[in-house]
Amino acid sequence: QQIAPRRSVVAHLALALALHGRGSIGRRSRVGPRTSGRALRRVRTWRATPMASTQPMDAGDAAAVGERREAVSEEAVAHREKPGAVRGAPSGSQLVPLAAPCMDASAALVPDVAAVALASRFDVDDLWEHARTTLAGPETEKNWQAREALVTRLRGAVKAGVPPELAAPFLQGVRDTQEGLLQCSQSLRTTLAQHTIALIRQLALAHAAALDHTLHFFLPTLLHMAGLTKKLIANASQATAATILACVPMRSAFWQLLLAGLQERSTQARLHMSRHLGVVLAAHGAALEAHGGVEMLAQCFERALGDASSDVRNVAREAFAKFYALWTERAKQILATLPPATQRLVLASLGQDEAK
């Protein structure tokens, strides 16, 4: 009935959970009515699993467990330092190679984050349970900092690499909280928006195949951010949009978004859309022939090559050179519809032989 013994028991329970992991919970674990809330949530979250040993753990065993957990963290950090390695992907997989516009300076605007190793299913469940609570409801002065800390932690988890056995629940958590993450990407707090946009880009690089529909959900909003007056967010959002366009198969909806973007009033937005055309061509190439991709590209180039802005036209001509190399006959048909002055500029950009 005294407070000190109960406090000591709770402290020992928390220590056992931290050292043993899931193995510390037996088949019929029972928790007293006065157990602390944090320890109780840990016990209820973990599913009952058989204990590896019924013998009491001495100091040597505790040190061994601590060394094992440190080794897990060091392994995760070493893995994410390997170039092109994607933890949680099949053996030998590499990051999708992206075109140069995806990897420009705008992609490095957000500060780097520390790696966060996920060692067990409990770590994943605890992370997304906290995420659902933090991302619920509208953004306020009281919760935006907690959201930024959460997104930073998620970035660290993706950076460290999600173990294969934990990839499914981790990615399901992304799908469950995609609306909250999208809300954070549109935040008026610059750092929160930057970190969220960077998180989406990391997910596209590491888990594009598994998150195809989720990335499709993010893309329209990212493309609409191309014309924002806040250049930091505009550039970061378009770097992420370019990454998604390069990492996932093209769909008819994507073409409609690009074509609509080329009709925006903002010159900045049309410039970004023209760059995306080059990214799509470099990433997908001849595979765009499926589902009418060539015809949609032709419509985009007809509008981009005749744009009122010289900057947009210059970028469009660079992308059109790739189109010309793949589908020469269709490119010549596009040239025939352009004004003579525009034709001369396009032909000059293709080379002296075409210009003659």
Side-chain angles (χ1 to χ4, degrees):
Q1 296 181 359
Q2 297 180 1
I3 296 177
R6 297 202 304 271
R7 185 179 299 168
S8 177
V9 170
V10 171
H12 287 304
L13 176 61
L15 178 61
L17 292 174
L19 291 176
H20 290 280
R22 294 177 60 180
S24 62
I25 307 301
R27 290 182 179 275
R28 296 293 181 182
S29 299
R30 296 187 180 275
V31 181
R34 296 183 181 273
T35 304
S36 69
R38 183 176 181 83
L40 183 60
R41 285 195 300 271
R42 289 183 176 226
V43 173
R44 288 179 176 174
T45 302
W46 282 337
R47 296 181 178 178
T49 55
M51 294 183 64
S53 174
T54 58
Q55 298 297 327
M57 187 178 69
D58 57 12
D61 295 334
V65 173
E67 293 175 357
R68 176 173 60 85
R69 289 190 172 274
E70 292 178 0
V72 170
S73 300
E74 292 175 358
E75 179 186 359
V77 173
H79 177 85
R80 55 96 174 172
E81 290 178 350
K82 295 179 181 178
V86 182
R87 190 165 184 175
S91 177
S93 64
Q94 299 292 328
L95 294 180
V96 179
L98 302 180
C102 291
M103 309 299 290
D104 58 9
S106 62
L109 294 174
V110 183
D112 198 8
V113 296
V116 177
L118 299 176
S120 66
R121 176 62 182 268
F122 167 74
D123 293 338
V124 178
D125 293 342
D126 183 63
L127 176 63
W128 289 115
E129 181 182 358
H130 175 60
R132 294 184 186 95
T133 304
T134 305
L135 298 176
E139 181 183 317
T140 64
E141 289 288 344
K142 297 181 179 180
N143 64 14
W144 75 268
Q145 291 181 328
R147 292 187 176 192
E148 182 177 337
L150 168 67
V151 173
T152 303
R153 186 180 174 193
L154 291 173
R155 288 190 61 201
V158 178
K159 179 180 179 179
V162 181
E165 64 274 12
L166 302 178
F170 182 85
L171 297 178
Q172 185 58 45
V174 175
R175 300 183 189 100
D176 294 341
T177 58
Q178 62 183 17
E179 293 184 0
L181 294 175
L182 184 64
Q183 184 183 17
C184 290
S185 69
Q186 303 174 75
S187 173
L188 296 179
R189 278 80 180 182
T190 303
T191 54
L192 174 57
Q194 281 183 299
H195 279 294
T196 308
I197 292 170
L199 170 63
I200 297 172
R201 187 170 188 272
Q202 288 178 255
L203 291 171
L205 286 169
H207 305 285
L211 293 176
D212 188 5
H213 295 286
T214 301
L215 297 175
H216 186 189
F217 174 78
F218 289 134
L219 185 61
T221 301
L222 292 171
L223 290 176
H224 290 159
M225 298 167 71
L228 293 179
T229 55
K230 189 180 292 186
K231 296 299 180 66
L232 287 175
I233 302 301
N235 292 337
S237 64
Q238 296 318 294
T240 299
T243 303
I244 294 176
L245 290 171
C247 290
V248 302
M250 289 297 293
R251 302 180 180 181
S252 59
F254 295 175
W255 294 117
Q256 297 298 331
L257 291 170
L258 292 175
L259 187 59
L262 289 169
Q263 303 175 40
E264 290 284 343
R265 292 185 178 182
S266 171
T267 302
Q268 177 179 293
R270 301 198 305 273
L271 182 61
H272 282 300
M273 297 305 121
S274 298
R275 289 172 177 165
H276 292 332
L277 295 179
V279 170
V280 171
L281 279 166
H284 300 285
L288 296 174
E289 293 180 357
H291 308 294
V294 177
E295 291 304 316
M296 293 303 301
L297 264 174
Q299 295 182 32
C300 293
F301 278 120
E302 288 174 359
R303 184 168 296 276
L305 291 172
D307 194 90
S309 171
S310 60
D311 293 336
V312 176
R313 294 196 302 270
N314 291 337
V315 174
R317 285 196 293 268
E318 295 176 3
F320 185 75
K322 303 173 185 177
F323 183 87
Y324 188 93
L326 291 171
W327 302 284
T328 305
E329 294 301 324
R330 187 66 183 92
K332 291 180 178 179
Q333 295 176 7
I334 297 174
L335 285 174
T337 63
L338 300 175
T342 305
Q343 289 185 28
R344 288 192 295 270
L345 291 173
V346 174
L347 289 173
S349 67
L350 294 176
Q352 294 297 326
D353 293 339
E354 289 81 2
K356 294 178 181 179

